[in-house]
Amino acid sequence: MTAALAIEQLLNGLQLGVMLFLMAAGLTLIFGVMGLINLAHGSLYMVGAFACAAVASLTGSFWLGLIASLAAAAAAGAIIEVLVIRRLYSRDHLDQVLATFALILMFSEGTRWVFGSFPLYLNIPSSLQGAVSLPGGAQYPAYRLAVIAAGGLIALGLAALITRTRLGIRIRAGENDREMIGALGVDIRTLYTVVFALGAALAGFAGALVGALQSVQVGMGEPVLILAFVVIVIGGIGSIKGAFLAALLVGVVDTMGRFLLPHLLATVLPPSEAGTIGGSASSMLIYIMMAFILAFRPRGLFAA
């Protein structure tokens, strides 16, 4: 194990954390403002990835595909909020879980019907191909560094939106007392639609960025959704700051755990057993970390 390899894995963890933040930020906004458990958030991640792949294939431009991913995911989010989600706000969480799970099935089958069962692939734009030299002699893909930078900029922009704009004031007010802001003349239905579309756009953007690193396929959002729920539980429901820090923590712990545990166990076990046991143990690390944090901070690290 070299320093260059350790730096590469640390950056991989940061890149995973940034992607989880884009997913978790929308989830925590939606739950904090609306009190809604949205299992279909992973489907919006998938919609963004497919929209980017389709537009990039038609136009040859990855950047137009990114714009399409934002527009398609936001539009899909606004439509399902108006047609389905709006009828669930007064229902209990079990009804919300069942309805949004049905949306997962509908999105998955609809996407399979339109695009087929075979995965699609996105090409990294030529301007971001190649590698960047890092301290220690490490070479790291320029596209992954750009993803980390883009995630950081989006986090700053979202924080500014929440804390320094009139829309942000209404979102924070909606988290605290939605009945009062409705009584003060704020159109609560429009606010809910805007928040849901914003969360959907963030998820779709994350799907498009990851689509250039992996294949774009039906069901790609569900594994990420599970990790996003872990992030918002650790960070504190309703907290953007908590979602960002928890996402980076989960990304680094998950990636470095998968990298380091097999190496550490190899010092006391045969290599084949160390790889098997280390892989299994590393997959549990983030859940062990979540349990440990909740034992001392039951509402998360930065509960709103």
Side-chain angles (χ1 to χ4, degrees):
M1 182 175 65
T2 64
L5 185 57
I7 292 173
E8 181 181 348
Q9 293 303 317
L10 178 61
L11 288 173
N12 284 340
L14 291 176
Q15 184 249 306
L16 173 60
V18 163
M19 292 299 95
L20 291 178
F21 167 70
L22 294 177
M23 282 286 288
L27 270 179
T28 200
L29 274 178
I30 289 169
F31 188 83
V33 175
M34 306 175 184
L36 177 81
I37 298 176
N38 179 27
L39 295 186
H41 204 66
S43 297
L44 298 169
Y45 173 92
M46 177 185 69
V47 166
F50 271 97
C52 183
V55 172
S57 176
L58 288 173
T59 64
S61 172
F62 176 79
W63 307 111
L64 288 178
L66 275 185
I67 296 172
S69 71
L70 287 166
I79 290 171
I80 64 172
E81 194 280 332
V82 171
L83 296 180
V84 179
I85 303 299
R86 188 169 288 181
R87 291 159 177 77
L88 300 174
Y89 295 133
S90 60
R91 310 288 286 271
D92 60 30
H93 288 323
L94 178 59
D95 291 338
Q96 295 172 0
V97 167
L98 291 174
T100 53
F101 181 74
L103 287 173
I104 293 176
L105 301 179
M106 293 170 65
F107 270 109
S108 294
E109 293 307 313
T111 304
R112 185 176 286 112
W113 180 69
V114 173
F115 294 100
S117 300
F118 295 101
L120 305 180
Y121 297 93
L122 271 167
N123 293 321
I124 294 174
S126 58
S127 58
L128 294 176
Q129 291 178 356
V132 176
S133 297
L134 299 176
Q139 295 283 321
Y140 197 71
Y143 179 77
R144 289 181 179 266
L145 285 177
V147 168
I148 295 172
L153 291 175
I154 290 172
L156 291 175
L158 192 58
L161 173 70
I162 297 299
T163 59
R164 298 181 181 276
T165 66
R166 182 174 295 275
L167 175 61
I169 291 172
R170 292 179 176 180
I171 290 173
R172 286 184 284 128
E175 288 180 326
N176 289 289
D177 196 337
R178 69 191 71 175
E179 289 80 11
M180 180 58 72
I181 66 167
L184 291 173
V186 174
D187 186 345
I188 197 70
R189 287 192 170 191
T190 301
L191 177 64
Y192 281 4
T193 303
V194 169
V195 170
F196 201 92
L198 174 62
L202 290 173
F205 187 68
L209 291 177
V210 171
L213 298 172
Q214 305 171 359
S215 61
V216 176
Q217 56 188 327
V218 175
M220 62 183 291
E222 279 64 62
V224 183
L225 180 68
I226 296 172
L227 292 177
F229 274 116
V230 172
V231 166
I232 64 173
V233 169
I234 291 175
I237 294 173
S239 171
I240 296 297
K241 175 184 176 182
F244 182 70
L245 295 178
L248 295 182
L249 182 63
V250 168
V252 170
V253 168
D254 183 64
T255 303
M256 295 304 290
R258 295 178 189 277
F259 170 61
L260 291 175
L261 273 181
H263 286 85
L264 293 175
L265 291 175
T267 61
V268 295
L269 294 173
S272 59
E273 293 183 15
T276 302
I277 297 173
S280 300
S282 61
S283 65
M284 299 186 293
L285 271 181
I286 57 173
Y287 302 104
I288 295 172
M289 178 182 67
M290 179 177 68
F292 181 80
I293 291 173
L294 293 181
F296 295 95
R297 303 276 296 187
R299 297 181 62 200
L301 294 174
F302 300 94

